[in-house]
Amino acid sequence: MPNITITLTDTQLKGLEYAALSPQDWAENAVTNRARIANDEIIQMYTTRALDEGVQIPSTRELIVADAFTRGWAKTAAQAQAEAQETP
C-alpha cells in the first residue's frame, strides 16, 4: 500500500495542533475522504458510460476504478493536464 509523507514546519504543525485534536488523524481523514470522493466520481462516470456502451460493470468498486483507468475512461490529473496542454 502506498504511503504519502509530508513535511511541516514547526509553525505549521502548531497551527494544525490548534485546529485539530490530532494533526495526523486530520491529515489522514482529509486525504482518504478526497480519495473517496474522487472514486465516487469515477464510479458514477464509469457506470453511466458502461451502461451507454453495453459494457459489463465489474462487481466491486475497486474493480470499477481499476477498469476505468485500464480503458482510459479515467485519467490521472497529470495525464489530463498533459493532454490539455497538447491541444492547440
Side-chain angles (χ1 to χ4, degrees), residues 75-88:
K75 299 179 188 301
T76 67
Q79 289 171 322
Q81 182 180 29
E83 288 176 6
Q85 290 173 344
E86 291 173 3
T87 306

Side-chain angles (χ1 to χ4, degrees), residues 22-85:
S22 167
Q24 181 69 39
D25 289 347
W26 184 90
E28 288 175 7
N29 184 56
V31 172
T32 57
N33 271 313
R34 185 60 187 101
R36 178 191 55 78
I37 291 165
N39 284 335
D40 287 349
E41 292 170 1
I42 292 167
I43 290 164
Q44 179 63 43
M45 172 274 301
Y46 182 98
T47 302
T48 300
R49 187 160 177 185
L51 290 171
D52 289 347
E53 296 186 17
V55 172
Q56 184 172 347
I57 298 171
S59 60
T60 67
R61 297 171 67 81
E62 290 80 9
L63 291 173
I64 291 170
V65 171
D67 197 42
F69 280 96
T70 298
R71 290 178 183 275
W73 294 357
K75 299 179 188 301
T76 67
Q79 289 171 322
Q81 182 180 29
E83 288 176 6
Q85 290 173 344

